[in-house]
Amino acid sequence: MKSLTRQEWYGALIAVLVLGILLSIASPYFLNSRNLSNILVQASVIALLAGGQTFVILTGGVDLAVGSLTALTGAVAGYMMIKLGINPYLAIGAAFAIGAAVGLFNGYLVAFVGIPSFIVTLGGLTLWRGLAYDATGGYDMSGLPAPFPFIGYGDLFGIIPMPIVVMVVFYVSMSFVLSSTKLGRYVYAIGSNEMGARQVGINVRWYKLGVYVVSGLCCALAAIVLIGRMDSSSGKIAQMFELDAIAAVILGGTSLFGGRGSIIGSLLGAILITMIRNGMNLLEISQFKQMMAIGAVVIIAVWIDVIRRKRLLRK
Amino acid sequence: MSFKKIAGGMAFAMLTVCMMPNAHAELTIAYITNGNTNEGWTLINGGAKEAGKKAGVKFIELAAEKGELSKQLAIVEDMITRKVDAIAIAPVDSAGISPSVKRALAAGIPVVAIDTNITGVKITSYVATDNIKAANVQGNWASGQVKDGDKVIYVTGDQGQSTGQERKKGFIDALKAKHPHIKVLEVATTWDQTQAQNGVEAVLRANSDVKLIACAWDGGALGAVAAMKGAGIKPGQIKLAGFDGSPGGLDMMKEGWQQANAAQMLAKIGAVGVETAIAAAKKQKVEARIDTGAFLVLPSNVDKFAKDSGVAQFMKMK
C-alpha cells in the first residue's frame, strides 16, 4: 500500500474519485453508466494527445503544437477522402506519415540543432495550423467514409464505444513501451539527468528525436478518432487542445521538469479534465467561468508539481 | 454528528425541495451557442435569453469554447444526459454537429437550429433569416433608385457559401425584375472588407457613372465607403445599400453614406429559436423552416430601428 501512495498518479486517482463523489451529490444526472461512458468518449482524444505528450514532458521538453498537428493530420486525411476520393486507409496512412514527419522535424530541431522545444513547437502551433488551412483550402469536409463513422461513434460488440476501445488499447501499449523498452527507460534517464544519460552512453539525441515522433504519431491517431467523432474535418478542429493535453499530463503527476511521471497518470488526468467540463455542463456553468476554471486547474496542477519538486530536492 | 442534527438537516433539505416552485412541471431548455461573442451574437443570445425568461422555463445557456466543434459535441451529449426537454443550438459547423444531434433526436429531444442549419439529419426546425427574401427587400429598394440601363455595383459575399450565393441571387433577381437592362458590375469578395474596398476602387476608376452600390454585408459597405472617400465622392452622391443592420451599417446611415439597409432581426432570431424549442418541447407542431424576416432600414426610421432592435447600444452615434 505504501508503494501505491508513492506513485505519481495516486493524486490524480484520488482527485477523480473525490470529484466523482462531489458531482454525484451535486447533479442527479452525473452518476449513470451513460454519462460515465460519455466522459470516457469525450476524454479519448485528449487522452491520446496526452499519451504522446507524456513522452515529451518526461524528457524535459514540451509539445505545444499537438492541437495544430491534430488539425493538420485530420484536415489532410479528410481532404484526401472527400475532395480527392482517395481510399480511407491510405488517408489514415497519410495522417500517420505527416504526424511522423512533423515529429521528425520538431525532434531534429530540438535534439540536433538545440532550439528549445518550447520555441520549436510554439512556432509549430501557428505553422501547422496555417498549413492545415492552406493545404485544404479552408474547406469543411463532411460525411466521412467507413471506417470513420465506426471509429468515431460505433460500438465494439454493440456495447463499448470505439473511442474508448482505441484509448484503452493505446494506453496498454504505451505503458508497455514506457516500462519495458529501451525508449521507455531512456526517456526517464534523459529527463532526470541528461548529462548523466549521455555519459553512460545513451544516444540522447536519437531518443529525444524519438519522443517527438511518438507525439506526432499520437496526434495522427487522435485526429482519426476526432474526425470520426465529428463525421467531418477541417483546418479549424482541435483548437487549444495542447492546453488540455499538457494539463492532463501535469494533473496526472508527471513533472513538468522531466524525469518523473507515469503514462497511467496522464489517462487519469485526461479523465479528470473531461469530468470537470462535463460536471460544469451538467451544473449549467457558463462558458467564461468554464474557461477560468480550466485555466485555474492548470496553474494549480503546476503549482503542486513545483512544491513536490522542491520537497524532492530537499531530500 | 448527532442524530438530532442529521434529522434537522434532512428536514431542512425536504423543506427546501418542497419550496421549489413546481420543480417537476418546469420545462428545461438548453440553448447552446457557437461561442461567438461579437455584437451580432450578443444580440441573438440576448433575444434567446429574454424569450426563455418570458416563457418561465428553466433556461440553460452553454457555449462552445473558442468555437470548437468537439466541445459543442460534448455539450450536446451532456445535455442529452441532463435530459433537457429541448435543445436550441447555433451550430459551430453544419455537418460536424450532426452525429450528436442525431443522438439527441433519437433520445426524443427536439432540436432547433438557430441562424445556421444542420445538414445530414432532419431536425425539428431551423430558424434564421431567409437570405433570398431579405436580399429581395434590398433589391426592390435599389430598383426604385435607378433607371433601366444604369450602372450598379454589387459587392458579393463568398460565392462558395450558400449565404453569399443567396444574397446575390436575391438582390439581382429583384433588381432585374424591374430593370432587365441594368448593368451590374460585380466586386467578388470572400466577406473581406479590404477586397471590397480594392474592388470598388477599381470599378469606380473605370466607371465614373455608377449610380448605386449594394453590398452583401455591412463590412463590404464599409469597404465601399472607404473607396468612395478615396475617390473624392461625397456622401449620398452614389447611393449605397447595406445588408445586416449591423451597428457599423447604421452608423454609416447616420453619417449619410448609406441610404438603405436590409436588416436581419438578430434578437428575433434568438427569441424565435427558443420559443420554437419550447413549443416543440410541449409537443406542439412547429414549422420546419422559420424565416425571421428582414426590415428595410431607411434614414427616416433608423433611430427607431436601432432602439427597438437593441443595435443602438453598439453604435458610435446613438
Side-chain angles (χ1 to χ4, degrees):
Chain A
M1 192 65 199
K2 197 156 186 201
S3 70
L4 188 67
T5 56
R6 278 211 198 115
Q7 298 285 345
E8 285 94 354
W9 49 267
Y10 189 73
L13 183 63
I14 300 272
V16 166
L17 294 177
V18 169
L19 184 64
I21 292 168
L22 288 178
L23 288 174
S24 305
I25 297 168
S27 169
Y29 306 101
F30 178 77
L31 193 65
N32 58 66
S33 59
R34 187 189 172 127
N35 192 47
L36 298 184
S37 137
N38 253 351
I39 291 176
L40 291 178
V41 170
Q42 291 169 7
S44 60
V45 172
I46 293 302
L48 297 175
L49 294 178
Q53 188 74 250
T54 310
F55 281 75
V56 177
I57 292 183
L58 279 174
T59 63
V62 67
D63 190 345
L64 297 174
V66 292
S68 300
L69 184 51
T70 303
L72 176 64
T73 50
V76 169
Y79 189 81
M80 288 173 71
M81 290 184 286
I82 303 292
K83 296 280 174 194
L84 308 178
I86 290 172
N87 180 300
Y89 293 95
L90 275 176
I92 291 176
F96 280 113
I98 294 168
V102 171
L104 276 173
F105 174 83
N106 289 341
Y108 175 76
L109 291 180
V110 173
F112 288 85
V113 181
I115 307 174
S117 61
F118 172 78
I119 299 299
V120 171
T121 58
L122 184 62
L125 178 90
T126 164
L127 172 58
W128 309 125
R129 175 74 61 185
L131 185 59
Y133 283 121
D134 199 45
T136 58
Y139 286 111
D140 287 349
M141 290 137 309
S142 62
L144 304 182
F148 282 89
F150 179 66
I151 295 172
Y153 44 95
D155 298 310
L156 187 67
F157 310 127
I159 38 169
I160 313 167
M162 274 306 288
I164 301 180
V165 175
V166 174
M167 178 170 77
V168 169
V169 170
F170 171 83
Y171 268 88
V172 170
S173 346
M174 284 296 145
S175 319
F176 173 78
V177 169
L178 212 49
S179 64
S180 313
T181 65
K182 261 192 192 171
L183 174 68
R185 273 173 284 137
Y186 289 172
V187 157
Y188 282 100
I190 293 167
S192 50
N193 184 354
E194 195 171 327
M195 285 295 283
R198 198 167 287 139
Q199 279 160 7
V200 297
I202 297 173
N203 196 330
V204 170
R205 285 178 168 178
W206 282 102
Y207 284 101
K208 264 182 133 175
L209 180 85
V211 298
Y212 291 91
V213 175
V214 170
S215 182
L217 290 170
C218 290
C219 291
L221 183 61
I224 288 159
V225 174
L226 180 65
I227 65 175
R229 234 171 93 59
M230 304 190 301
D231 196 24
S232 67
S233 175
S234 75
K236 63 174 179 279
I237 61 172
Q239 302 277 356
M240 297 284 287
F241 276 27
E242 52 281 342
L243 180 71
D244 281 15
I246 293 167
V249 175
I250 304 300
L251 285 173
T254 295
S255 172
L256 201 50
F257 306 101
R260 265 185 324 110
S262 68
I263 189 85
I264 190 78
S266 302
L267 176 60
L268 290 166
I271 292 171
L272 188 59
I273 284 221
T274 312
M275 270 173 76
I276 294 171
R277 283 190 201 280
N278 170 267
M280 288 194 291
N281 283 343
L282 293 181
L283 297 174
E284 301 142 30
I285 293 168
S286 78
Q287 175 193 13
F288 301 132
K289 295 204 180 77
Q290 291 205 14
M291 290 167 74
M292 285 153 61
I294 294 289
V297 166
V298 172
I299 295 174
I300 291 167
V302 177
W303 194 341
I304 293 170
D305 179 37
V306 170
I307 293 171
R308 233 185 339 208
R309 183 167 186 256
K310 276 187 183 155
R311 279 209 193 129
L312 272 179
L313 288 178
R314 237 178 273 149
K315 273 184 194 171
Chain B
M1 199 186 280
S2 73
F3 176 72
K4 251 187 190 170
K5 270 187 188 163
I6 296 173
M10 279 173 70
F12 178 72
M14 280 165 72
L15 196 68
T16 327
V17 170
C18 293
M19 276 166 66
M20 278 189 220
N22 303 327
H24 295 286
E26 199 175 61
L27 286 174
T28 306
I29 306 296
Y31 174 61
I32 305 169
T33 76
N34 53 20
N36 255 324
T37 50
N38 62 27
E39 295 153 343
W41 279 101
T42 304
L43 288 170
I44 295 177
N45 296 341
K49 205 181 280 182
E50 194 63 39
K53 206 192 275 171
K54 226 184 262 170
V57 296
K58 181 153 177 51
F59 186 75
I60 303 175
E61 186 184 354
L62 291 166
E65 205 179 294
K66 297 251 167 204
E68 169 59 42
L69 175 58
S70 62
K71 298 230 163 74
Q72 197 174 40
L73 267 177
I75 292 174
V76 175
E77 288 167 354
D78 291 348
M79 288 302 105
I80 299 170
T81 314
R82 174 71 181 69
K83 295 196 169 72
V84 296
D85 297 299
I87 292 173
I89 181 169
V92 165
D93 184 288
S94 295
I97 199 67
S98 64
S100 64
V101 167
K102 272 181 204 155
R103 277 192 215 164
L105 292 166
I109 300 172
V111 178
V112 175
I114 289 178
D115 187 64
T116 306
N117 204 357
I118 297 171
T119 54
V121 53
K122 202 180 163 296
I123 53 170
T124 314
S125 182
Y126 167 43
V127 177
T129 311
D130 182 328
N131 279 303
I132 293 193
K133 284 190 187 155
N136 279 338
V137 169
Q138 190 189 28
N140 283 334
W141 175 84
S143 65
Q145 308 295 315
V146 292
K147 295 192 297 292
D148 205 8
D150 277 352
K151 281 185 188 165
V152 168
I153 296 179
Y154 184 71
V155 179
T156 76
D158 189 345
Q159 293 303 297
Q161 268 184 348
S162 62
T163 311
Q165 294 162 357
E166 288 166 4
R167 289 184 185 179
K168 179 177 147 188
K169 182 174 164 24
F171 174 80
I172 292 181
D173 285 357
L175 186 62
K176 291 216 163 158
K178 284 239 182 80
H179 307 301
H181 304 294
I182 200 141
K183 287 191 193 74
V184 180
L185 309 162
E186 263 183 48
V187 171
T189 84
T190 50
W191 307 115
D192 184 288
Q193 192 175 318
T194 314
Q195 285 176 348
Q197 180 178 348
N198 295 344
V200 172
E201 258 166 22
V203 175
L204 285 180
R205 221 174 286 138
N207 304 274
S208 55
D209 52 347
V210 168
K211 293 285 187 302
L212 182 141
I213 303 174
C215 302
W217 86 113
D218 274 340
L222 280 170
V225 167
M228 286 194 277
K229 279 182 184 164
I233 294 164
K234 302 244 151 33
Q237 206 174 326
I238 294 178
K239 299 222 163 64
L240 178 64
F243 191 111
D244 275 341
S246 72
L250 301 191
D251 273 329
M252 276 184 273
M253 186 175 288
K254 297 201 72 168
E255 287 165 13
W257 284 104
Q258 230 182 56
Q259 283 70 41
N261 196 312
Q264 300 201 68
M265 312 296 280
L266 295 173
K268 193 176 165 191
I269 293 175
V272 173
V274 168
E275 284 160 9
T276 308
I278 294 170
K282 288 179 179 161
K283 313 271 186 262
Q284 293 166 1
K285 209 174 148 16
V286 298
E287 295 286 325
R289 172 72 173 93
I290 297 172
D291 173 23
T292 44
F295 183 85
L296 184 66
V297 186
L298 299 166
S300 55
N301 62 21
V302 61
D303 286 324
K304 187 170 177 343
F305 175 82
K307 191 163 155 279
D308 293 349
S309 65
V311 176
Q313 58 182 306
F314 301 114
M315 287 167 67
K316 280 185 291 186
M317 310 172 76
K318 302 209 172 166

